[in-house]
Amino acid sequence: MSLVTEIERPNSFVFRRAAIQRRSATTGLYDGVWRDISSLVRQWGAIENGVDDVRFNRITHSGINLTVDNDSGSFNHHSNASSLWFGFLNRYRTLVRIQAGYYDTNLTSELPTDPTLGVFVLDSEISIKSTTNDVYLRCASLKSIFDEVRARDILRLFTSTVWTASQIVEVVRDHSDGSGTNVFREFITSTSWTITATTNNYLLTTTVLEEKTTWALMETLAEAEGYVIMITRAGGIEFRPRTARQASSQFSFVGQTFSRPNIIQIDEYKEAWDKYYTYYRLKYLEADTSTSFVTAGTTTVLNASNVSWAYGSRVYEFENRLPQNTASAQAIVDNLFSLSTSVPVDLTQKCLFIPQLDVLDRIDVSYRSYDLANQSLWGVFVWGRDRWAQEGVNFEFSTQAFFVISQKHDLNTFSTTFKLRQI
């Protein structure tokens, strides 16, 4: 059986799992063993990730909150013999992996092959409710591990005068604690990083970096390159262009008036004017003078072909002190403006549980909002009371190409909400 077949079944067999990975009390390193805690989970949460939701080019990668059963003391302090952490390092920074998917009809195989929806870090105090023995596990995105390390503390960044953005991300990936142990590879293995090469050069100094976190540094670089820095559902890192990652569709979404629909409803279809900019203004020097800025874009001219007149003057202002000179800064805004070729068109839809897709995956949509043509209304119309609906559609898609810009998996209802961008 294929995953698509199982999704389309009227009665599907689904599963969800939670597992933890602890740290050795001797070495402080993760032991590499995932311990299943699914039977202890009383309430599952939701997982959300995407780009552009809060701010243009910014990633959304939520944590997850689980409510678990502590009747047996499994989540007690690590000094307690009943605790799952007894004999291990403390509970803080425990890795938490969430998996979910479908069984085949024989309940012998799992789909997709890798059902991981996210890897997280337990990063807050564990509170236990005395009345119910419920424990709330608040698990943060993996980006939190980069938020805890200042970019200026990665000393290798200062061994060269200039770096390209992709080279800087590679240095972050390989950051060690000075004794030969890689810091971030404890959470994300080196093979789980996908870094697309870039060519613009950036000048790094402690003054320029100030107190930027490592994640803020990578976000700044992604913004400058027209890239995204994102965490994949399998717990990897991608630094890549913000376009669809494939040339062909990875999944077909099907709605009403088509056979075997997997779309529950379409919530919104719109031109995303708030994500379209006609002018880019970059401050690349500290001083507040006119020479500290470079710009690219169009000015308003009253004619039909002028985008500033058609869509309004939409200015994207940002600060980035990493460009090594004026020419480098100008290349950044010129590149960003070249990516603003048209107003993005976004579609938001609620679907059956679709676990296998990742942000920026290319997909296609077939959906007809409403149509009475060629349908019999005999027996459904009451004379003198009912009114004929008007034939036609609000919108109609037939294998229309989109790519995923955000998705939210609700593990309590086994549904997924997608935001898609039209290609």
Side-chain angles (χ1 to χ4, degrees):
M1 289 289 184
S2 69
L3 177 59
V4 173
T5 300
E6 296 306 321
I7 291 173
E8 292 176 346
R9 287 176 57 84
N11 294 300
S12 300
F13 302 99
V14 293
F15 66 89
R16 55 193 175 188
R17 283 195 298 265
I20 60 172
Q21 189 172 147
R22 299 161 295 187
R23 293 174 295 171
S24 166
T26 304
T27 66
L29 304 180
Y30 291 98
D31 64 3
V33 177
W34 289 104
R35 176 172 181 136
D36 194 285
I37 62 168
S38 305
S39 62
L40 299 174
V41 179
R42 288 179 172 172
Q43 187 73 23
W44 300 77
I47 299 172
E48 185 173 4
N49 53 79
V51 295
D52 285 1
D53 276 1
V54 178
R55 173 180 164 86
F56 173 71
N57 217 64
R58 287 293 190 268
I59 184 177
T60 300
H61 190 259
S62 73
I64 187 169
N65 296 331
L66 302 175
T67 303
V68 294
D69 176 2
N70 197 46
D71 286 345
S72 61
S74 298
F75 298 91
N76 287 347
H77 189 271
H78 66 279
S79 62
N80 187 294
S82 299
S83 174
L84 292 172
W85 286 265
F86 184 69
F88 290 85
L89 206 58
N90 57 288
R91 299 166 296 179
Y92 188 79
R93 285 198 138 186
T94 296
L95 289 181
V96 179
R97 184 182 67 186
I98 303 296
Q99 296 180 312
Y102 292 84
Y103 288 117
D104 65 8
T105 52
N106 298 319
L107 302 181
T108 56
S109 299
E110 294 180 357
L111 299 166
T113 304
D114 181 1
T116 302
L117 292 181
V119 179
F120 307 92
V121 180
L122 187 60
D123 75 335
S124 64
E125 296 179 0
I126 292 179
S127 59
I128 303 174
K129 291 180 67 71
S130 62
T131 54
T132 62
N133 262 349
D134 281 349
V135 167
Y136 301 109
L137 299 183
R138 296 177 176 86
C139 310
S141 163
L142 283 177
K143 75 184 257 327
S144 63
I145 66 175
F146 299 97
D147 287 332
E148 295 183 2
V149 178
R150 296 186 309 170
R152 64 189 300 173
D153 292 337
I154 302 179
L155 300 181
R156 190 182 157 210
L157 288 175
F158 309 112
T159 60
S160 175
T161 305
V162 293
W163 299 91
T164 65
S166 55
Q167 288 172 334
I168 292 172
V169 176
E170 289 172 352
V171 171
V172 170
R173 176 196 62 194
D174 300 333
H175 172 52
S176 72
D177 61 0
S179 62
T181 302
N182 294 105
V183 176
F184 300 126
R185 289 192 197 177
E186 271 298 287
F187 304 90
I188 306 168
T189 62
S190 60
T191 56
S192 297
W193 291 68
T194 301
I195 304 171
T196 304
T198 59
T199 57
N200 291 326
N201 289 320
Y202 298 89
L203 176 65
L204 298 184
T205 66
T206 54
T207 302
V208 167
L209 290 179
E210 297 177 323
E211 293 301 310
K212 276 185 183 294
T213 67
T214 307
W215 186 262
L217 171 62
M218 293 192 292
E219 273 194 332
T220 300
L221 293 168
E223 181 181 50
E225 294 288 337
Y227 274 35
V228 293
I229 177 75
M230 58 175 286
I231 298 170
T232 65
R233 65 183 179 90
I237 293 283
E238 286 194 356
F239 182 74
R240 54 164 292 114
R242 45 184 296 110
T243 53
R245 63 162 53 85
Q246 302 98 357
S248 60
S249 176
Q250 304 301 296
F251 186 77
S252 293
F253 287 101
V254 179
Q256 61 184 26
T257 75
F258 291 87
S259 62
R260 299 186 180 279
N262 48 48
I263 299 174
I264 298 172
Q265 65 187 42
I266 287 184
D267 296 320
E268 187 177 58
Y269 177 61
K270 67 174 185 179
E271 289 181 300
W273 290 347
D274 58 331
K275 301 299 187 299
Y276 179 71
Y277 299 94
T278 60
Y279 203 80
Y280 291 84
R281 188 169 185 256
L282 165 62
K283 181 182 180 183
Y284 74 102
L285 297 176
E286 183 176 9
D288 287 322
T289 64
S290 60
T291 56
S292 298
F293 296 84
V294 290
T295 60
T298 62
T299 56
T300 302
V301 178
L302 275 63
N303 64 58
S305 62
N306 182 261
V307 293
S308 294
W309 174 243
Y311 300 107
S313 181
R314 301 179 180 276
V315 182
Y316 186 78
E317 297 191 70
F318 63 112
E319 183 173 346
N320 186 332
R321 295 175 57 201
L322 301 180
Q324 60 175 338
N325 51 42
T326 304
S328 297
Q330 188 64 53
I332 288 173
V333 291
D334 288 344
N335 177 61
L336 290 176
F337 180 63
S338 72
L339 300 177
S340 299
T341 56
S342 61
V343 178
V345 176
D346 291 351
L347 175 73
T348 303
Q349 61 185 28
K350 184 177 181 180
C351 304
L352 302 179
F353 181 53
I354 314 290
Q356 76 277 20
L357 297 177
D358 219 329
V359 173
L360 300 184
D361 275 349
R362 182 177 178 133
I363 54 84
D364 62 79
V365 176
S366 296
Y367 190 97
R368 185 174 293 112
S369 60
Y370 195 77
D371 194 349
L372 291 175
N374 302 318
Q375 295 184 40
S376 173
L377 296 176
W378 184 260
V380 299
F381 184 87
V382 178
W383 290 104
R385 188 188 71 184
D386 293 333
R387 295 186 178 184
W388 292 106
Q390 183 171 346
E391 292 190 20
V393 296
N394 292 326
F395 46 82
E396 181 175 358
F397 303 122
S398 180
T399 60
Q400 173 64 54
F402 290 82
F403 64 93
V404 178
I405 58 173
S406 75
Q407 57 188 3
K408 181 178 182 180
H409 299 293
D410 188 328
L411 294 179
N412 291 310
T413 63
F414 275 100
S415 62
T416 307
T417 299
F418 289 94
K419 182 176 284 187
L420 311 173
R421 181 153 293 167
Q422 189 168 319
I423 298 175

